[in-house]
């Protein structure tokens, strides 16, 4: 199995796929910003935003389930916010005994926790949709068009290109280690510290290979005229549909925010 | 299963969207922008036109190296995060850029960490981790002189400290956002990552040991790119101290701070999510408890640094006696 | 001396190398005095055992490494001033296509050379389309490099160089790692190209089918240079330098 099978892009020709990557990037950013700026307790507004996500998912035909599954990645982090349930002052709902003392669960604490979850889940769905409907190279030129520092975007481009090559190398090294380790129960031999150091040696080898590869790549670039600058073709101009969709969705998000903050 | 190997980083380090208040996210972006801007400018001087392919491939290396895991116990496994290793091998500036792109791609491609809070994640895992890691590394190497144990001990200490301090930064941000009280988040994050940091340290050490034998010139490359070792140690110490000083201010609903915010007219902002604004004059409402925490943090930092320095010099003296 | 030689021939040699030596920074002597002349339109095989110095020689001819001795390209001595210009006339295809294809998409990679040559955008687009069609890769422009098969990668690698319209093609092991069908296909495509070629390879069937002249390299020296048919029938020579008949 190739690692690139995990690329989150989901090929398609839906209207969402065809929307200009710059517009998609901006709208995703706006969406997440709106979620962040909405006050707590605005369940109605959160609901409308979720509706927006579901609608876009349906339009994109990447699959509701797929988006939800990928969005679950961030759920474990909710642990970090659980403490808000006890730590926020407010009307006490329940008191639970804890380590000899008691903890009071407050109404505002529960509201805060749920609001954080709502914002977080909305945001990650939007990010998943962006990645699922936009090939990464398009995102790259979208970023460039949005004036991110060109060298940084170029580095991201190399990272993306060689991520899969090096991840494959890393996987082969792991398989080679597996093939030679005699512990079938997966415990591995030696002490933990020794295993960690062996893993370190593998990382060292991978580093040397990567470094030498970067030298060859640099030569391949020179051979084709590289002079230290970053050059790219100019991106195509926005189509009328891109403008309309961008303005429309942007406007809806603005209204939601206005409604929520009033 | 392969899926999990591409998502190896401890989830707790990659803050998703929604968990930081807009104000903290904004501050994160400002710090990230300044740090990355500075790094772009300085590493260009150091690496010239080779900068882009070298850092691009090495960023991919960090990404791939995070897949290399080892069994710790009971089905859990440890693996590399890489900030300290990147800073040691490439120098702090190129290290920051490399880690920044890693954090960005993890967020965009794998939704590991949020987009709006990416500034904060870059601040923690790229800027804080690289600066602190590099500072510790240079400090230990200064003590060790040209001896090989300096490289190994420096690598271990740098990796451990970078992970723990980045986790502390993460806890501080969660505290300021009102997501998790600092009194819980800080010890929890620091404690968990003090363990994770040991794995990080051992892997970094193993990698450096191998590279220093095969290509000694590459280990010294990062050093050559950033002269002034002592200054870097001070920078690392300053970042760690700044975080320590900030941490007691990061408690949600700190009464004193809220009063200050009210007086300053910030109360609207503080109403819903308590964006605690850091006042830039004396803290009238700061309780003794907060002061005590600051003091404890400072003392703790000094003790850890002192311990490292003391052990290093002890070891050196014994080596000298043996010789 | 070289002036006299030039006078003897009607056309200027594309590649002319005299007494070329090269030592890697770690002290490894890779080339120990190479003499080689390639005339326009010639298709030359560069064969020899592993470590003979084939790749090193190609890197020097592409102006990526600097050796001692004389290197003349199209009649001009290669130096720091003309090296950028020469690189646009000489295209090097690296052994590992993962080194050659460093951009996220096939289009970006094939467009790279023309873009850095400062060509206008319509011309860049035209060149990309043309180079891809030359290699039988219509419709590959938007593909991701890391999704390609080895054979496709090799063909794209040649296309990235063709789009620069070089006069000389330097190919480093173009057929290694290809299955028989992909190999046949690539040989067929290369046979169609009009460019002067210098091909470093271990694939003796490729040599026999595509390249009328063969240069044998061993230990950093040229040990034989002549018509492929003659060299391939010299059993002693082949055996002495670890080569086999196709
Ligand atoms: N970057 C390098 N540093 C040091 N020595 C090198 C380097 N690259 C090649 N060499 C050495 O130079 C010699 C010639 O290498 P070269 O790659 O040119 O051989 P080759 O004929 O292309 O071999 P192969 O058929 O294996 O590709 C070899 O002995 C090799 O070990
Ligand atoms: Mg070779």
């Amino acid at each position: 199995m190739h690692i690139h099978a995990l690329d989150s892009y989901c090929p398609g020709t839906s209207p969402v796929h065809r929307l200009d990557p710059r517009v998609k990037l901006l709208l995703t950013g706006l969406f997440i910003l709106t979620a962040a700026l909405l006050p707590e307790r605005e369940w109605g507004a959160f609901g409308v935003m979720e509706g927006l996500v579901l609608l876009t998912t349906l339009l994109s035909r990447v699959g509701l389930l797929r988006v939800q599954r990928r969005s679950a990645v961030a759920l474990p982090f909710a642990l970090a916010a659980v403490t808000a349930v006890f730590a926020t002052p407010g009307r006490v709902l329940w008191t639970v005994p804890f380590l000899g003392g008691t903890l009071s669960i407050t109404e505002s604490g529960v509201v805060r926790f749920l609001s954080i979850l709502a914002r977080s889940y909305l945001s990650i769905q939007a990010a998943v949709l962006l990645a699922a409907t936009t090939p990464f190279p398009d995102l790259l030129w979208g970023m460039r068009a949005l004036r991110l520092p060109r060298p940084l975007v170029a580095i991201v481009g190399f990272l993306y290109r060689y991520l899969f090559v090096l991840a494959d190398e890393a996987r082969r090294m792991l398989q080679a280690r597996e093939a030679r380790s005699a512990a079938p129960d997966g415990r591995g031999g030696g002490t933990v510290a020794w295993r960690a150091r062996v893993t370190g040696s593998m990382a060292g080898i991978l580093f040397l290979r990567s470094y030498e590869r970067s030298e060859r790549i640099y030569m391949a670039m020179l051979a084709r005229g590289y002079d230290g600058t970053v050059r790219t073709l100019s991106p195509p101009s926005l189509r009328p549909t891109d403008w309309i969709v961008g303005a429309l969705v942007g406007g809806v998000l603005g209204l939601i925010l206005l409604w929520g903050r009033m | 299963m392969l899926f999990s190997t591409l998502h190896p980083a401890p989830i707790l380090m990659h803050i998703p969207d929604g968990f930081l208040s807009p104000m903290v996210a904004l501050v994160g972006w400002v710090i990230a922008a300044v740090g990355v801007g500075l790094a772009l400018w300085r590493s260009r001087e150091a690496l010239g036109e080779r900068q882009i392919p070298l850092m691009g491939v090495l960023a991919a290396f960090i990404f791939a190296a995070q897949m290399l895991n080892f069994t710790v116990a009971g089905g859990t496994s440890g693996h590399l995060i890489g900030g300290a290793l990147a800073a040691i091998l490439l120098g702090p500036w190129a290290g920051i850029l490399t880690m920044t792109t890693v954090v960005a791609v993890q967020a965009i491609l794998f939704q590991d960490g949020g987009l709006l809070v990416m500034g904060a994640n870059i601040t923690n895992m790229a800027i804080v981790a690289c600066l602190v890691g590099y500072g510790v590394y240079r400090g230990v190497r200064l003590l060790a002189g040209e001896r090989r144990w300096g490289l190994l001990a420096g690598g271990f200490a740098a990796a451990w400290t970078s992970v723990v301090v980045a986790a502390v930064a993460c806890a501080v941000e969660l505290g300021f956002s009102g997501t998790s009280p600092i009194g819980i988040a800080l010890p929890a994050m620091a404690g968990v990552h003090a363990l994770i940091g040991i794995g990080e340290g051992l892997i970094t050490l193993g990698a450096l040991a191998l590279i220093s034998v095969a290509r000694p010139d590459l280990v010294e490359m990062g050093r050559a790119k950033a002269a002034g070792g002592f200054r870097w140690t001070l920078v690392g110490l300053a970042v760690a101290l700044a975080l320590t000083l900030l941490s007691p201010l990061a408690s949600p609903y700190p009464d004193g701070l809220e009063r200050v915010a009210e007086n300053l007219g910030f109360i609207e902002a503080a109403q819903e999510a308590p964006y605690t604004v850091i006042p830039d004059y004396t803290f009238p409402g700061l309780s003794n408890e907060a002061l005590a925490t600051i003091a404890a943090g400072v003392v703790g930092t000094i003790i850890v640094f002192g311990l490292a320095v003391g052990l290093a010099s002890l070891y050196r003296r014994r080596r000298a006696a043996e010789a | 001396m070289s002036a006299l030689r030039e006078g003897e021939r009607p056309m200027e040699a594309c590649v002319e190398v005299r007494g070329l030596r090269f030592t890697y920074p770690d002290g490894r002597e890779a080339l120990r005095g190479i003499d080689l002349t390639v005339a326009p339109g010639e298709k030359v095989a560069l064969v020899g055992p592993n470590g003979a110095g084939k790749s090193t020689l190609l890197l020097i001819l592409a102006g990526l490494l600097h050796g001692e001795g004389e290197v003349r390209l199209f009649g001009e001595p290669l130096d720091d001033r003309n090296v950028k210009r020469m690189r646009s006339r000489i295209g090097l295809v690296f052994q590992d296509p993962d080194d050659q294809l460093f951009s996220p998409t096939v289009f970006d990679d094939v467009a790279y050379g023309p873009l850095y040559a400062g060509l206008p955008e319509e011309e860049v687009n035209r060149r990309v389309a043309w180079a891809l069609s030359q290699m039988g890769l219509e419709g590959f422009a938007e593909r991701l490099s890391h999704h390609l098969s080895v054979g496709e990668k090799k063909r794209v690698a040649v296309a990235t160089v063709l789009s620069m319209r070089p006069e000389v093609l330097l190919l480093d092991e173009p057929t290694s790692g290809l299955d028989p069908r992909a190999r046949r296909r690539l040989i067929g495509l290369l046979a169609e190209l009009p460019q002067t070629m210098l091909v470093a390879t271990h694939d003796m069937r490729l040599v026999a089918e595509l390249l009328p002249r063969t240069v044998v390299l061993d230990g950093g020296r040229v040990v034989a240079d002549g018509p492929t048919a003659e060299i391939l029938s010299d059993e002693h020579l082949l055996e002495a330098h670890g080569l086999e008949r196709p």
Side-chain angles (χ1 to χ4, degrees), chain A residues 8 77 80 83-84 87 89 112 120 123 131 159 163 166 177 192 195 197 199-200 203 207 211-212 214 218 226-227, chain B residues 11-12 16-17 19 49 54 60-61 69-72 101 105 109 111 178-181 203 205 207 211 215 218 253 272:
Chain A
S8 25
F77 203 94
T83 48
R112 161 155 309 164
S120 165
S123 308
L159 163 53
L163 163 63
L166 297 183
R177 182 183 66 180
V192 173
R195 285 201 296 273
R197 280 203 59 174
T199 308
F207 170 79
Y211 185 86
E212 276 157 19
S214 85
Y218 177 58
Y226 177 65
D227 53 11
Chain B
I11 310 151
L12 284 178
D17 278 317
F19 285 79
E49 34 181 70
L54 179 64
F61 154 73
N69 54 1
F70 61 96
T71 323
V72 177
T101 54
V105 171
L109 202 55
Q111 293 84 46
T179 302
S180 179
I203 298 180
L205 179 154
I211 297 166
R215 286 286 299 268
L218 292 186
Y253 295 109
E272 272 306 331

Side-chain angles (χ1 to χ4, degrees), chain A residues 75 101 119:
Chain A
L75 285 183
R119 289 192 192 113

Side-chain angles (χ1 to χ4, degrees), chain B residues 38-120:
Chain B
L38 215 61
L40 271 172
W41 172 48
R42 296 302 300 269
S43 71
R44 178 150 193 95
E45 278 174 10
L47 294 167
E49 34 181 70
R50 314 198 40 165
Q51 178 201 30
I52 288 171
L54 179 64
M55 283 194 291
V57 177
L58 292 187
F61 154 73
I62 295 284
F63 219 120
Q66 293 183 345
M67 290 174 55
L68 300 173
N69 54 1
F70 61 96
T71 323
V72 177
T76 58
S77 61
H79 71 88
L80 189 74
I81 298 168
L85 187 63
I88 291 170
L89 289 172
L90 295 170
W93 298 123
I96 286 177
L97 290 184
T98 305
M99 290 306 291
T100 298
T101 54
V102 170
V103 171
V105 171
Q106 273 167 340
I108 297 169
L109 202 55
F110 300 109
Q111 293 84 46
D112 225 351
L115 298 179
L116 193 65
V117 299
M118 198 198 287

Side-chain angles (χ1 to χ4, degrees), chain B residues 13-16 103 112-114 117-126 173:
Chain B
M13 276 281 228
H14 293 81
I15 308 172
V103 171
D112 225 351
V117 299
M118 198 198 287
N121 281 328
I122 289 173
T123 300
N124 303 344
M125 282 180 283
E173 286 152 10

Side-chain angles (χ1 to χ4, degrees), chain C residues 54-55 95 172-173:
Chain C
K54 305 182 293 291
S55 299
Q95 183 167 348
D172 201 345
E173 313 214 358

